Amino acid sequence: MNQIFKIIILSLITLSCTEKNNISKKLNISTVQFGDIQPDGWMKAQMENDVTNGFVSALDSLAPELVVEDDIYGKDRMTKEVKSKDVGAITDDNGEWEVQFLWWNSETQSNWWDGYIRNAILTKDQNALNKVKTYVDTKLKTQDEDGYLGVYAQDLRYKHTTENGELWAQSSLLRGLLAYYEYSKEERVLNAIEKAVQLTMKSYSINNSEPFNIEKPFAGVGHGLTFVDVLNRLYELTNNESYIDYAVFLYQDYDKYNLSEVDIQTKNLLNPEYKFKGHGVHTYEHLRALTMVAKYTKDSIYKNALEKYLERLEKVTTPSGGPIGDEWIFERTADADNTGYEYCSIHELLDSYSLLLKRTNDSKWADKMEWLLFNAAQGARNPDGKSIAYCKTDNSYFMQGAFEIENIGKNNHNRFKYSPVHKEVAACCVPNAGRIFPYYVNSMWAKNNDGLVLNLFGASEFNTTINEHKLKILQKTNYPFDFKIDLEIDIESPENFQIAIRKPKWATFYTCSSSADKSENEHYLYLNKTWKTGDVITIQFEAEPKVNLDLLGDYFFSYGPLVFGLPIESKEVVQKIYPYKDFKDLEYHSNASKGTKWKIVDPTKIKLKTNENEPLWNHFKMETTFINSKNETELKELKPMGNLILRQVTFPKLENNEN
């Protein structure tokens, strides 16, 4: 008996020592914080233009009544006495319907500032950074003694019985302030954020409140679930698990009630007959809350619900990755001709992919992020950087306001045009278009217990620490216009750690030049060595032009992460000129005959053409033969859709009996 006891004790001691040794070998690494990764190359140039001369720079000057004059977080907080407010959108109704939108300017202001703050930080534009500093100081001065940062006066805050923007206004504000804190390391900013969040957690206490048990809920209540974004980031920065507990509580409370946006509720996700029908932007931003609750609870119902959500998601995304959201999904299947996507939906889905990437370590979410950014998102920007499309379709035959050509000019809610504001609909998509590239850049690198993970490619500089030693990695590439990537290491002292590099789904082959020990699986290449300054990793991915089928059986073409489209010649028509710099609302009228739609003669006979002397977006072209509705045959070039305004992206195949 004594001998058995000794064996057990020795085993426990050995196990304990082993655990201690394993723990001691773990790298001392911190969370990647906003600003650690700085863009370079074409992305930096585009972002620099955006924040100095482009649409990101100008919303406060183009719509001051929404962004500047309404001090909605300060002296103009809402009370029971406020019955109306200029929120930009033109409606045909009065009274209660309009009262539901009184929180709108908080979204417009805070989402625009979130994008502006992040672009300023990533481009290091000093004028923009000075402006950001003034904004942060001003917002912190609105904080009440109890910690409140929001848009409601004492008679309304945390007492809502109907539609409101309480959590939504806080979430959109605090996301931007968090980005500034991560860059500046100013503890006063983090303290203010935590104080505000702790007040909300106390006012809507776990299991003793029902923040989503609301009569007549609408968009503000639904958007309020994004408060989990703030909670998630605070948890990552502080390791305070109460933030995760509160995020789980918010989702579970939201899951209980008959709200206006219910695509995310478990009863619907687990119902095999249910199809997404809600306002697209809500459906895609709510994915982050479900991802968190599936990760941090043991109840399998949430993991099952997440699985069912992701299955449905495949049915509502177009070839470019654009998710149905023009504005509502309405149980439709994605269609390159007939289902548009709102820029808000593009950004929110990309942000949700980013969280899925963090929580699952599955590289397919990185594939989807870059596909969505380079095609749908870039393809809804005007190439001049001065405006974006509120709504866009993959096959874009005209951009004259209304979706259906017969409805052009019949109302003021013209989403299918280019504008730096889109005030007559809602100034929501322009702010979100300013957020998307900074969010992408911030997701390029990740850290784990083994070292670093390169998930997203693009010219950039990553500054971090390994075991308290400064490390800089330059990513040199013209990606996605060149599939060669050089990683140059500059480290304060040699350190042994792993660098994992994503293997893109589209890559047919790759070569890697490095003296590191190599291993791989389906998703990542793993490089292990003691890294020192001067080490270089060179990876070259290979791709082939790919013929794809969309959900309707039509063909579309890709090369690497780029989807290609047939350019449609157009005439630019100025709809409105703004009294600030050179900003305009623009329409695009097709020069093609009405109803012209090309079919592809033989999708297997497509030729890739490359020319590195052309501008980046023209490096790659594809050539094949098409025939139109007038039976006219022509050899035509396809170009990356991210640089095309009017285009045809999907093509029916010419049937034999049509020859």
Side-chain angles (χ1 to χ4, degrees), residues 29-31 190 194 231-245 296 359:
I29 56 177
S30 58
T31 301
L190 180 61
E194 289 205 87
L231 297 164
N232 177 63
R233 194 57 184 150
L234 283 175
Y235 168 67
E236 292 174 340
L237 293 170
T238 67
N239 291 316
N240 184 341
E241 293 186 357
S242 69
Y243 294 129
I244 290 299
D245 293 340
Y296 293 114
R359 296 294 170 257

Side-chain angles (χ1 to χ4, degrees), residues 266-513:
T266 53
K267 66 181 179 183
N268 294 324
L269 292 171
L270 298 177
N271 176 1
E273 303 301 318
Y274 186 85
K275 297 180 180 180
F276 286 157
K277 62 182 180 180
H279 184 221
V281 65
H282 285 86
T283 301
Y284 308 122
E285 70 189 11
H286 286 171
L287 172 55
R288 298 193 290 278
L290 180 58
T291 299
M292 289 178 67
V293 77
K295 172 70 176 180
Y296 293 114
T297 64
K298 295 180 180 180
D299 194 333
S300 62
I301 188 174
Y302 301 118
K303 292 179 176 61
N304 292 338
L306 178 59
E307 180 181 329
K308 298 303 179 185
Y309 179 105
L310 297 176
E311 288 175 5
R312 288 178 173 86
L313 185 59
E314 295 296 322
K315 300 294 184 182
V316 297
T317 50
T318 64
S320 69
I324 295 175
D326 54 353
E327 303 260 352
W328 280 265
I329 302 174
F330 288 146
E331 300 185 339
R332 294 174 292 170
T333 297
D335 178 338
D337 273 344
N338 298 311
T339 58
Y341 34 84
E342 186 183 348
Y343 215 112
C344 288
S345 293
I346 297 173
H347 170 76
E348 296 299 349
L349 182 56
L350 181 133
D351 195 14
S352 292
Y353 284 155
S354 176
L355 186 62
L356 281 164
L357 179 62
K358 278 186 180 181
R359 296 294 170 257
T360 66
N361 299 313
D362 189 333
S363 68
K364 73 179 179 183
W365 304 117
D367 284 311
K368 288 182 179 293
M369 285 180 71
E370 67 176 19
W371 195 277
L372 180 61
L373 184 79
F374 297 144
N375 299 301
Q378 192 71 18
R381 290 172 50 103
N382 194 304
D384 69 4
K386 292 282 190 178
S387 58
I388 59 106
Y390 188 108
C391 283
K392 188 81 170 170
T393 48
D394 279 3
N395 292 335
S396 186
Y397 299 111
F398 56 89
M399 288 291 284
Q400 293 174 239
F403 174 65
E404 301 89 356
I405 198 164
E406 60 269 21
N407 289 330
I408 289 173
K410 288 186 178 180
N411 60 61
N412 292 318
H413 293 273
N414 44 357
R415 291 163 170 80
F416 289 82
K417 69 172 185 182
Y418 287 84
S419 172
V421 182
H422 289 287
K423 180 181 174 181
E424 70 279 3
V425 184
C428 58
C429 283
V430 169
N432 276 322
R435 298 171 67 206
I436 196 165
F437 266 86
Y439 277 63
Y440 177 89
V441 169
N442 195 52
S443 298
M444 284 181 164
W445 287 93
K447 291 184 172 183
N448 59 28
N449 288 334
D450 297 315
L452 307 179
V453 183
L454 177 58
N455 280 311
L456 299 169
F457 306 117
S460 57
E461 178 181 312
F462 178 34
N463 288 281
T464 187
T465 59
I466 296 286
N467 289 336
E468 300 182 355
H469 292 138
K470 292 181 180 178
L471 167 67
K472 177 170 71 175
I473 302 181
L474 295 180
Q475 185 180 172
K476 293 188 173 182
T477 181
N478 266 334
Y479 191 86
F481 313 106
D482 185 351
F483 305 147
K484 179 186 176 186
I485 297 155
D486 290 322
L487 300 175
E488 298 181 358
I489 311 295
D490 184 350
I491 191 166
E492 202 170 38
S493 178
E495 285 289 344
N496 185 277
F497 59 93
Q498 181 184 89
I499 297 178
I501 301 173
R502 172 178 139 252
K503 294 163 58 178
K505 183 180 178 181
W506 51 260
T508 56
F509 182 73
Y510 76 88
T511 58
C512 178
S513 173

Side-chain angles (χ1 to χ4, degrees), residues 6-22:
K6 287 179 181 179
I7 292 172
I8 293 172
I9 293 298
L10 286 171
S11 299
L12 289 172
I13 292 173
T14 302
L15 177 61
S16 176
C17 291
T18 302
E19 289 177 341
K20 286 180 180 179
N21 287 336
N22 286 339

